[in-house]
PDB file of all heavy atoms in Angstrom:
ATOM      1  N   ARG G 342      26.779  82.474  12.317  1.00  0.00           N
ATOM      2  CA  ARG G 342      26.281  81.686  13.457  1.00  0.00           C
ATOM      3  C   ARG G 342      25.465  80.413  12.911  1.00  0.00           C
ATOM      4  O   ARG G 342      25.632  79.308  13.482  1.00  0.00           O
ATOM      5  CB  ARG G 342      25.425  82.500  14.352  1.00  0.00           C
ATOM      6  CG  ARG G 342      26.181  83.700  15.068  1.00  0.00           C
ATOM      7  CD  ARG G 342      25.324  84.273  16.094  1.00  0.00           C
ATOM      8  NE  ARG G 342      23.937  84.760  15.626  1.00  0.00           N
ATOM      9  CZ  ARG G 342      23.840  86.081  15.222  1.00  0.00           C
ATOM     10  NH1 ARG G 342      24.867  86.907  15.112  1.00  0.00           N
ATOM     11  NH2 ARG G 342      22.565  86.390  14.762  1.00  0.00           N
ATOM     12  N   GLN G 343      24.659  80.651  11.904  1.00  0.00           N
ATOM     13  CA  GLN G 343      23.835  79.567  11.399  1.00  0.00           C
ATOM     14  C   GLN G 343      24.763  78.388  10.790  1.00  0.00           C
ATOM     15  O   GLN G 343      24.462  77.247  11.037  1.00  0.00           O
ATOM     16  CB  GLN G 343      22.900  79.980  10.360  1.00  0.00           C
ATOM     17  CG  GLN G 343      21.897  79.027   9.812  1.00  0.00           C
ATOM     18  CD  GLN G 343      21.011  79.596   8.707  1.00  0.00           C
ATOM     19  OE1 GLN G 343      21.572  80.148   7.692  1.00  0.00           O
ATOM     20  NE2 GLN G 343      19.722  79.431   8.815  1.00  0.00           N
ATOM     21  N   SER G 344      25.683  78.830  10.096  1.00  0.00           N
ATOM     22  CA  SER G 344      26.623  77.755   9.471  1.00  0.00           C
ATOM     23  C   SER G 344      27.447  77.044  10.540  1.00  0.00           C
ATOM     24  O   SER G 344      27.677  75.886  10.313  1.00  0.00           O
ATOM     25  CB  SER G 344      27.566  78.494   8.420  1.00  0.00           C
ATOM     26  OG  SER G 344      28.343  79.560   9.064  1.00  0.00           O
ATOM     27  N   LYS G 345      27.747  77.751  11.564  1.00  0.00           N
ATOM     28  CA  LYS G 345      28.493  77.035  12.748  1.00  0.00           C
ATOM     29  C   LYS G 345      27.572  75.914  13.313  1.00  0.00           C
ATOM     30  O   LYS G 345      28.024  74.844  13.758  1.00  0.00           O
ATOM     31  CB  LYS G 345      28.937  77.882  13.748  1.00  0.00           C
ATOM     32  CG  LYS G 345      30.195  78.852  13.330  1.00  0.00           C
ATOM     33  CD  LYS G 345      30.573  79.834  14.373  1.00  0.00           C
ATOM     34  CE  LYS G 345      31.807  80.614  13.890  1.00  0.00           C
ATOM     35  NZ  LYS G 345      32.236  81.512  14.909  1.00  0.00           N
ATOM     36  N   GLU G 346      26.315  76.264  13.478  1.00  0.00           N
ATOM     37  CA  GLU G 346      25.330  75.279  14.065  1.00  0.00           C
ATOM     38  C   GLU G 346      25.150  74.148  13.079  1.00  0.00           C
ATOM     39  O   GLU G 346      25.083  73.013  13.474  1.00  0.00           O
ATOM     40  CB  GLU G 346      24.043  75.960  14.367  1.00  0.00           C
ATOM     41  CG  GLU G 346      24.046  77.028  15.404  1.00  0.00           C
ATOM     42  CD  GLU G 346      24.296  76.360  16.809  1.00  0.00           C
ATOM     43  OE1 GLU G 346      24.262  75.112  16.991  1.00  0.00           O
ATOM     44  OE2 GLU G 346      24.614  77.134  17.756  1.00  0.00           O
ATOM     45  N   ASN G 347      25.139  74.374  11.776  1.00  0.00           N
ATOM     46  CA  ASN G 347      25.011  73.351  10.818  1.00  0.00           C
ATOM     47  C   ASN G 347      26.272  72.365  10.892  1.00  0.00           C
ATOM     48  O   ASN G 347      26.119  71.164  10.655  1.00  0.00           O
ATOM     49  CB  ASN G 347      24.927  73.853   9.368  1.00  0.00           C
ATOM     50  CG  ASN G 347      23.582  74.590   9.226  1.00  0.00           C
ATOM     51  OD1 ASN G 347      22.501  74.342   9.879  1.00  0.00           O
ATOM     52  ND2 ASN G 347      23.449  75.462   8.314  1.00  0.00           N
ATOM     53  N   LEU G 348      27.422  73.027  11.055  1.00  0.00           N
ATOM     54  CA  LEU G 348      28.573  72.260  11.215  1.00  0.00           C
ATOM     55  C   LEU G 348      28.605  71.311  12.442  1.00  0.00           C
ATOM     56  O   LEU G 348      28.892  70.126  12.329  1.00  0.00           O
ATOM     57  CB  LEU G 348      29.844  73.184  11.292  1.00  0.00           C
ATOM     58  CG  LEU G 348      31.234  72.485  11.532  1.00  0.00           C
ATOM     59  CD1 LEU G 348      31.537  71.529  10.468  1.00  0.00           C
ATOM     60  CD2 LEU G 348      32.265  73.532  11.655  1.00  0.00           C
ATOM     61  N   ALA G 349      28.114  71.901  13.528  1.00  0.00           N
ATOM     62  CA  ALA G 349      28.044  71.000  14.787  1.00  0.00           C
ATOM     63  C   ALA G 349      26.974  69.897  14.519  1.00  0.00           C
ATOM     64  O   ALA G 349      27.265  68.773  14.926  1.00  0.00           O
ATOM     65  CB  ALA G 349      27.526  71.861  15.905  1.00  0.00           C
ATOM     66  N   GLN G 350      25.868  70.163  13.798  1.00  0.00           N
ATOM     67  CA  GLN G 350      24.979  69.147  13.539  1.00  0.00           C
ATOM     68  C   GLN G 350      25.494  68.015  12.671  1.00  0.00           C
ATOM     69  O   GLN G 350      25.211  66.875  12.835  1.00  0.00           O
ATOM     70  CB  GLN G 350      23.729  69.827  12.908  1.00  0.00           C
ATOM     71  CG  GLN G 350      22.549  68.735  12.482  1.00  0.00           C
ATOM     72  CD  GLN G 350      21.476  69.325  11.579  1.00  0.00           C
ATOM     73  OE1 GLN G 350      21.738  70.402  10.870  1.00  0.00           O
ATOM     74  NE2 GLN G 350      20.367  68.775  11.571  1.00  0.00           N
ATOM     75  N   GLN G 351      26.255  68.444  11.694  1.00  0.00           N
ATOM     76  CA  GLN G 351      26.827  67.463  10.746  1.00  0.00           C
ATOM     77  C   GLN G 351      27.897  66.575  11.394  1.00  0.00           C
ATOM     78  O   GLN G 351      27.913  65.336  11.147  1.00  0.00           O
ATOM     79  CB  GLN G 351      27.526  68.161   9.529  1.00  0.00           C
ATOM     80  CG  GLN G 351      27.981  67.192   8.467  1.00  0.00           C
ATOM     81  CD  GLN G 351      26.927  66.457   7.786  1.00  0.00           C
ATOM     82  OE1 GLN G 351      25.847  66.842   7.663  1.00  0.00           O
ATOM     83  NE2 GLN G 351      27.261  65.061   7.490  1.00  0.00           N
TER      84      GLN G 351
END
Side-chain angles (χ1 to χ4, degrees):
R342 296 192 301 270
Q343 183 183 56
S344 57
K345 288 181 177 179
E346 293 294 347
N347 291 337
L348 175 58
Q350 179 190 21
Q351 186 60 38

